[in-house]
Amino acid sequence: MGAADIVPGVSGGTMAFITGIYDRLLGAIRAFDLALLGLVLKGRIKDAWQHVDGAFLLTLLAGIATSILSLARLIAWLLETHPVPLWAFFFGLILASALVLLRQVGAWNPARIACLLAGTGFALAVALSPALGLESAGLPAVFGAGFIAICAMILPGISGSFILVLLGMYAVVLNALKSFDLEFIAVFAAGAACGLLCFSRLLHWLLRHQRPGTLALLTGFLFGSLAVVWPWKEALDWVEGAGGEMRPVQQVPILPGRFLQLTGEDPQLWLCIALALAGGLAVWLIDTRWNRA
């Protein structure tokens, strides 16, 4: 999850879904409730720790932190110097994940097909949308950006950082963190906390009571997000990043030949195919060796 969150456009929720810990993660987040507060106030710290599945959350957070600290420079370097092969690997990873998850939906009916198509359409709409430009909309927009971004972050196939880019808030958030703008950070964190607690409860309820349809919807998100991780893209719109650099915000998938014409760069077709297959193989290994244990 940490490695995925480093890459703009790839969701840590996708990795949680692939590795089979998604339900447990939602359950642990959902456990931050009034019952937890009551246990803490009574001094029953051990019971509170078990209530939120503390060992699981601590291990997960340690893994995310370790991944970010150890892989951040490598992935940042790959994004800068070899973006096309890196995107190809993630494309294979997510495509194989979506195909694996299709099996978990069970028997298909019109309602579940509609959920799959709705998820795919929504993720495609997000992936191909232009920036909204909310950077000067004030603190209510900051709260809303935190709320929406964290919801996207726990959804498979939709990246929270990518949502911030679409809202025009990515550079604003990074600058606020760099300058330690306490008011901005507090409002954004409050929005994120509210979004996490509310949305995790909704997803947890849906997976418990409407699991096949919800799985179909989430699988649709994965299929739609393939437009974001397609290796060869043409940028239609740009925004200024935190360091003054221009970042593509609206991109459309193109064929390797068109990519060569536009950029003059080698599309590295065979390397991309090999890395996409490697990503698919990684998902197959995870699914066969761990998820069915």
Side-chain angles (χ1 to χ4, degrees):
M1 288 178 67
D5 283 328
I6 295 170
V7 181
V10 182
S11 168
T14 301
M15 298 301 110
F17 214 40
I18 291 171
T19 52
I21 65 168
Y22 194 68
D23 285 7
R24 189 174 181 182
L25 175 60
L26 291 179
I29 296 172
R30 177 178 171 273
F32 284 83
D33 53 15
L34 292 177
L36 172 66
L37 180 61
L39 291 172
V40 172
L41 292 177
K42 294 176 182 177
R44 297 167 57 186
I45 304 302
K46 183 177 180 180
D47 291 338
W49 178 258
Q50 294 175 343
H51 180 73
V52 298
D53 203 353
F56 165 76
L57 286 180
L58 181 62
T59 306
L60 181 66
L61 290 173
I64 291 173
T66 301
S67 178
I68 290 175
L69 292 174
S70 60
L71 295 178
R73 290 187 179 181
L74 172 62
I75 292 181
W77 178 77
L78 288 172
L79 278 172
E80 182 69 25
T81 59
H82 303 286
V84 172
L86 182 63
W87 287 122
F89 175 77
F90 277 106
F91 184 88
L93 198 75
I94 294 174
L95 176 59
S97 304
L99 295 175
V100 166
L101 290 170
L102 281 178
R103 300 200 313 264
Q104 298 184 20
V105 175
W108 287 91
N109 57 37
R112 293 173 189 177
I113 293 173
C115 288
L116 177 69
L117 294 177
T120 303
F122 179 78
L124 276 173
V126 170
L128 303 177
S129 294
L132 296 180
L134 300 180
E135 61 274 7
S136 58
L139 290 180
V142 174
F143 182 92
F147 190 101
I148 295 171
I150 200 68
C151 291
M153 192 169 290
I154 60 175
L155 274 177
I158 302 178
S159 163
S161 60
F162 186 67
I163 291 294
L164 288 178
V165 171
L166 291 180
L167 294 174
M169 298 291 290
Y170 186 78
V172 180
V173 172
L174 288 183
N175 284 327
L177 292 173
K178 287 181 179 179
S179 62
F180 207 59
D181 185 339
L182 290 179
E183 182 183 33
F184 184 102
I185 293 171
V187 173
F188 186 84
C194 289
L196 187 63
L197 292 176
C198 294
F199 200 60
S200 62
R201 281 168 168 73
L202 174 61
L203 280 177
H204 189 269
W205 185 90
L206 287 172
L207 284 169
R208 174 165 292 187
H209 297 282
Q210 301 291 336
R211 188 174 184 83
T214 304
L215 284 176
L217 181 70
L218 296 178
T219 304
F221 288 153
L222 289 181
F223 277 120
S225 71
L226 292 173
V228 177
V229 295
W230 178 256
W232 307 282
K233 298 183 282 284
E234 178 182 359
L236 302 180
D237 193 14
W238 301 77
V239 296
E240 185 176 343
E245 77 284 359
M246 298 304 294
R247 299 170 54 92
V249 63
Q250 185 182 17
Q251 302 181 90
V252 293
I254 57 176
L255 293 175
R258 175 65 175 165
F259 178 83
L260 176 62
Q261 291 177 355
L262 285 176
T263 66
E265 298 177 10
D266 181 6
Q268 306 176 77
L269 180 60
W270 293 111
L271 175 60
C272 288
I273 291 174
L275 287 172
L277 291 174
L281 178 62
V283 171
W284 178 79
L285 289 173
I286 290 170
D287 183 57
T288 54
R289 299 210 172 192
W290 287 289
N291 281 0
R292 299 180 186 179

